[in-house]
PDB file of all heavy atoms in Angstrom:
ATOM      1  N   GLN F  48       6.396  14.522  11.744  1.00  0.00           N
ATOM      2  CA  GLN F  48       7.071  14.284  12.895  1.00  0.00           C
ATOM      3  C   GLN F  48       6.766  13.047  13.502  1.00  0.00           C
ATOM      4  O   GLN F  48       6.488  12.849  14.868  1.00  0.00           O
ATOM      5  CB  GLN F  48       6.984  15.366  13.944  1.00  0.00           C
ATOM      6  CG  GLN F  48       7.499  16.778  13.601  1.00  0.00           C
ATOM      7  CD  GLN F  48       9.049  16.734  13.588  1.00  0.00           C
ATOM      8  OE1 GLN F  48       9.775  16.372  14.465  1.00  0.00           O
ATOM      9  NE2 GLN F  48       9.650  17.315  12.423  1.00  0.00           N
ATOM     10  N   ASP F  55      11.764  -6.979  14.255  1.00  0.00           N
ATOM     11  CA  ASP F  55      11.883  -8.018  13.261  1.00  0.00           C
ATOM     12  C   ASP F  55      10.850  -9.055  13.498  1.00  0.00           C
ATOM     13  O   ASP F  55      10.699  -9.624  14.580  1.00  0.00           O
ATOM     14  CB  ASP F  55      13.352  -8.700  13.308  1.00  0.00           C
ATOM     15  CG  ASP F  55      13.603  -9.649  12.314  1.00  0.00           C
ATOM     16  OD1 ASP F  55      12.771  -9.838  11.304  1.00  0.00           O
ATOM     17  OD2 ASP F  55      14.650 -10.292  12.296  1.00  0.00           O
ATOM     18  N   ALA F  58       4.101  -7.575  13.000  1.00  0.00           N
ATOM     19  CA  ALA F  58       3.095  -7.104  12.049  1.00  0.00           C
ATOM     20  C   ALA F  58       2.600  -5.768  12.762  1.00  0.00           C
ATOM     21  O   ALA F  58       1.849  -5.812  13.759  1.00  0.00           O
ATOM     22  CB  ALA F  58       2.049  -8.017  11.892  1.00  0.00           C
ATOM     23  N   TRP F  83      11.292  14.044   2.034  1.00  0.00           N
ATOM     24  CA  TRP F  83      11.004  13.723   3.447  1.00  0.00           C
ATOM     25  C   TRP F  83      12.244  14.018   4.306  1.00  0.00           C
ATOM     26  O   TRP F  83      13.255  14.397   3.669  1.00  0.00           O
ATOM     27  CB  TRP F  83      10.599  12.248   3.591  1.00  0.00           C
ATOM     28  CG  TRP F  83      11.776  11.260   3.204  1.00  0.00           C
ATOM     29  CD1 TRP F  83      11.967  10.741   2.003  1.00  0.00           C
ATOM     30  CD2 TRP F  83      12.773  10.781   4.063  1.00  0.00           C
ATOM     31  NE1 TRP F  83      12.966   9.944   2.019  1.00  0.00           N
ATOM     32  CE2 TRP F  83      13.567   9.902   3.297  1.00  0.00           C
ATOM     33  CE3 TRP F  83      13.140  10.888   5.347  1.00  0.00           C
ATOM     34  CZ2 TRP F  83      14.659   9.185   3.791  1.00  0.00           C
ATOM     35  CZ3 TRP F  83      14.224  10.191   5.947  1.00  0.00           C
ATOM     36  CH2 TRP F  83      14.977   9.307   5.058  1.00  0.00           C
ATOM     37  N   GLY F  91      17.943  -2.518   8.231  1.00  0.00           N
ATOM     38  CA  GLY F  91      19.400  -2.439   8.498  1.00  0.00           C
ATOM     39  C   GLY F  91      20.085  -1.310   7.630  1.00  0.00           C
ATOM     40  O   GLY F  91      21.287  -1.012   7.883  1.00  0.00           O
ATOM     41  N   ASP F 112      -4.675  -1.838  -5.324  1.00  0.00           N
ATOM     42  CA  ASP F 112      -5.478  -2.338  -6.382  1.00  0.00           C
ATOM     43  C   ASP F 112      -4.765  -3.282  -7.154  1.00  0.00           C
ATOM     44  O   ASP F 112      -3.892  -3.056  -7.909  1.00  0.00           O
ATOM     45  CB  ASP F 112      -5.780  -1.013  -7.322  1.00  0.00           C
ATOM     46  CG  ASP F 112      -6.691  -1.578  -8.495  1.00  0.00           C
ATOM     47  OD1 ASP F 112      -7.135  -2.644  -8.558  1.00  0.00           O
ATOM     48  OD2 ASP F 112      -6.895  -0.624  -9.350  1.00  0.00           O
ATOM     49  N   ALA F 126       4.971 -10.918 -15.152  1.00  0.00           N
ATOM     50  CA  ALA F 126       4.985 -10.088 -13.969  1.00  0.00           C
ATOM     51  C   ALA F 126       5.878 -10.636 -12.788  1.00  0.00           C
ATOM     52  O   ALA F 126       6.594  -9.845 -12.179  1.00  0.00           O
ATOM     53  CB  ALA F 126       3.537  -9.971 -13.518  1.00  0.00           C
ATOM     54  N   GLY F 128       8.529 -12.748 -13.376  1.00  0.00           N
ATOM     55  CA  GLY F 128       9.854 -12.903 -13.915  1.00  0.00           C
ATOM     56  C   GLY F 128      10.579 -11.485 -13.870  1.00  0.00           C
ATOM     57  O   GLY F 128      11.831 -11.461 -13.807  1.00  0.00           O
ATOM     58  N   GLN F 156      -2.493 -20.985 -14.416  1.00  0.00           N
ATOM     59  CA  GLN F 156      -2.694 -19.600 -14.357  1.00  0.00           C
ATOM     60  C   GLN F 156      -1.384 -18.755 -14.573  1.00  0.00           C
ATOM     61  O   GLN F 156      -1.458 -17.557 -14.701  1.00  0.00           O
ATOM     62  CB  GLN F 156      -3.333 -19.253 -12.837  1.00  0.00           C
ATOM     63  CG  GLN F 156      -4.623 -19.679 -12.682  1.00  0.00           C
ATOM     64  CD  GLN F 156      -5.168 -19.758 -11.252  1.00  0.00           C
ATOM     65  OE1 GLN F 156      -4.238 -20.100 -10.376  1.00  0.00           O
ATOM     66  NE2 GLN F 156      -6.293 -19.625 -11.035  1.00  0.00           N
ATOM     67  N   LEU F 178       6.866 -11.524  -2.887  1.00  0.00           N
ATOM     68  CA  LEU F 178       7.674 -12.545  -2.194  1.00  0.00           C
ATOM     69  C   LEU F 178       8.757 -13.169  -3.047  1.00  0.00           C
ATOM     70  O   LEU F 178       9.607 -13.918  -2.453  1.00  0.00           O
ATOM     71  CB  LEU F 178       6.622 -13.610  -1.689  1.00  0.00           C
ATOM     72  CG  LEU F 178       5.642 -13.155  -0.638  1.00  0.00           C
ATOM     73  CD1 LEU F 178       4.760 -14.348  -0.180  1.00  0.00           C
ATOM     74  CD2 LEU F 178       6.388 -12.498   0.600  1.00  0.00           C
ATOM     75  N   LEU F 180      11.343 -12.282  -4.365  1.00  0.00           N
ATOM     76  CA  LEU F 180      12.741 -11.927  -4.125  1.00  0.00           C
ATOM     77  C   LEU F 180      13.189 -12.195  -2.577  1.00  0.00           C
ATOM     78  O   LEU F 180      14.199 -11.807  -2.089  1.00  0.00           O
ATOM     79  CB  LEU F 180      12.911 -10.408  -4.240  1.00  0.00           C
ATOM     80  CG  LEU F 180      12.673  -9.913  -5.796  1.00  0.00           C
ATOM     81  CD1 LEU F 180      12.841  -8.332  -5.909  1.00  0.00           C
ATOM     82  CD2 LEU F 180      13.761 -10.523  -6.657  1.00  0.00           C
ATOM     83  N   GLU F 189      -3.386  -1.323   2.136  1.00  0.00           N
ATOM     84  CA  GLU F 189      -4.837  -1.686   1.953  1.00  0.00           C
ATOM     85  C   GLU F 189      -4.993  -2.813   1.002  1.00  0.00           C
ATOM     86  O   GLU F 189      -5.679  -2.823   0.029  1.00  0.00           O
ATOM     87  CB  GLU F 189      -5.622  -0.517   1.254  1.00  0.00           C
ATOM     88  CG  GLU F 189      -5.508   0.813   2.166  1.00  0.00           C
ATOM     89  CD  GLU F 189      -6.776   1.179   2.875  1.00  0.00           C
ATOM     90  OE1 GLU F 189      -7.542   0.199   3.185  1.00  0.00           O
ATOM     91  OE2 GLU F 189      -6.907   2.321   3.370  1.00  0.00           O
ATOM     92  N   LEU F 203      -6.346 -12.589   3.878  1.00  0.00           N
ATOM     93  CA  LEU F 203      -5.757 -12.291   5.285  1.00  0.00           C
ATOM     94  C   LEU F 203      -5.182 -13.772   5.818  1.00  0.00           C
ATOM     95  O   LEU F 203      -4.182 -13.793   6.455  1.00  0.00           O
ATOM     96  CB  LEU F 203      -6.853 -11.865   6.200  1.00  0.00           C
ATOM     97  CG  LEU F 203      -7.283 -10.369   6.066  1.00  0.00           C
ATOM     98  CD1 LEU F 203      -8.515  -9.938   6.843  1.00  0.00           C
ATOM     99  CD2 LEU F 203      -6.122  -9.453   6.219  1.00  0.00           C
ATOM    100  N   GLU F 244      -2.071   7.834  18.752  1.00  0.00           N
ATOM    101  CA  GLU F 244      -2.059   6.682  19.775  1.00  0.00           C
ATOM    102  C   GLU F 244      -1.516   5.419  19.205  1.00  0.00           C
ATOM    103  O   GLU F 244      -1.647   5.192  18.022  1.00  0.00           O
ATOM    104  CB  GLU F 244      -3.574   6.347  20.161  1.00  0.00           C
ATOM    105  CG  GLU F 244      -3.767   5.305  21.352  1.00  0.00           C
ATOM    106  CD  GLU F 244      -5.136   5.299  21.822  1.00  0.00           C
ATOM    107  OE1 GLU F 244      -6.083   5.835  21.203  1.00  0.00           O
ATOM    108  OE2 GLU F 244      -5.331   4.739  22.886  1.00  0.00           O
ATOM    109  N   GLU F 263     -13.568   7.214  18.189  1.00  0.00           N
ATOM    110  CA  GLU F 263     -14.499   7.654  17.126  1.00  0.00           C
ATOM    111  C   GLU F 263     -14.449   6.608  15.970  1.00  0.00           C
ATOM    112  O   GLU F 263     -15.448   6.183  15.415  1.00  0.00           O
ATOM    113  CB  GLU F 263     -14.268   8.950  16.655  1.00  0.00           C
ATOM    114  CG  GLU F 263     -15.068   9.529  15.471  1.00  0.00           C
ATOM    115  CD  GLU F 263     -14.669  10.957  14.938  1.00  0.00           C
ATOM    116  OE1 GLU F 263     -14.011  11.615  15.821  1.00  0.00           O
ATOM    117  OE2 GLU F 263     -15.052  11.207  13.803  1.00  0.00           O
ATOM    118  N   ALA F 267     -17.301   4.132  14.585  1.00  0.00           N
ATOM    119  CA  ALA F 267     -17.585   4.022  13.041  1.00  0.00           C
ATOM    120  C   ALA F 267     -17.525   2.610  12.524  1.00  0.00           C
ATOM    121  O   ALA F 267     -18.263   2.221  11.639  1.00  0.00           O
ATOM    122  CB  ALA F 267     -16.719   5.056  12.368  1.00  0.00           C
ATOM    123  N   ARG F 269     -18.192  -0.052  13.842  1.00  0.00           N
ATOM    124  CA  ARG F 269     -19.245  -1.036  14.269  1.00  0.00           C
ATOM    125  C   ARG F 269     -20.458  -0.913  13.258  1.00  0.00           C
ATOM    126  O   ARG F 269     -21.368  -1.666  13.333  1.00  0.00           O
ATOM    127  CB  ARG F 269     -19.724  -0.726  15.683  1.00  0.00           C
ATOM    128  CG  ARG F 269     -18.614  -0.955  16.653  1.00  0.00           C
ATOM    129  CD  ARG F 269     -19.076  -0.731  18.096  1.00  0.00           C
ATOM    130  NE  ARG F 269     -18.006  -1.003  19.091  1.00  0.00           N
ATOM    131  CZ  ARG F 269     -17.462   0.010  19.720  1.00  0.00           C
ATOM    132  NH1 ARG F 269     -17.932   1.210  19.583  1.00  0.00           N
ATOM    133  NH2 ARG F 269     -16.518  -0.262  20.586  1.00  0.00           N
ATOM    134  N   GLN F 274     -32.017   2.807  15.191  1.00  0.00           N
ATOM    135  CA  GLN F 274     -32.611   3.066  16.569  1.00  0.00           C
ATOM    136  C   GLN F 274     -34.080   2.470  16.478  1.00  0.00           C
ATOM    137  O   GLN F 274     -34.843   2.673  15.535  1.00  0.00           O
ATOM    138  CB  GLN F 274     -32.706   4.691  16.799  1.00  0.00           C
ATOM    139  CG  GLN F 274     -31.360   5.190  16.986  1.00  0.00           C
ATOM    140  CD  GLN F 274     -31.447   6.665  17.308  1.00  0.00           C
ATOM    141  OE1 GLN F 274     -32.465   7.273  17.236  1.00  0.00           O
ATOM    142  NE2 GLN F 274     -30.336   7.237  17.875  1.00  0.00           N
ATOM    143  N   ARG F 275     -34.510   2.013  17.743  1.00  0.00           N
ATOM    144  CA  ARG F 275     -35.846   1.435  17.706  1.00  0.00           C
ATOM    145  C   ARG F 275     -36.695   2.198  18.726  1.00  0.00           C
ATOM    146  O   ARG F 275     -36.161   2.979  19.522  1.00  0.00           O
ATOM    147  CB  ARG F 275     -35.759  -0.057  18.362  1.00  0.00           C
ATOM    148  CG  ARG F 275     -35.022  -0.888  17.372  1.00  0.00           C
ATOM    149  CD  ARG F 275     -35.072  -2.421  17.871  1.00  0.00           C
ATOM    150  NE  ARG F 275     -34.436  -3.352  16.907  1.00  0.00           N
ATOM    151  CZ  ARG F 275     -34.445  -4.607  17.136  1.00  0.00           C
ATOM    152  NH1 ARG F 275     -34.984  -5.180  18.192  1.00  0.00           N
ATOM    153  NH2 ARG F 275     -33.780  -5.374  16.235  1.00  0.00           N
TER     154      ARG F 275
END
Side-chain angles (χ1 to χ4, degrees):
Q48 296 287 312
D55 187 7
W83 62 273
D112 180 4
Q156 293 162 327
L178 295 180
L180 294 178
E189 304 256 18
L203 288 174
E244 185 170 12
E263 181 182 335
R269 296 187 184 107
Q274 293 182 348
R275 296 187 178 181

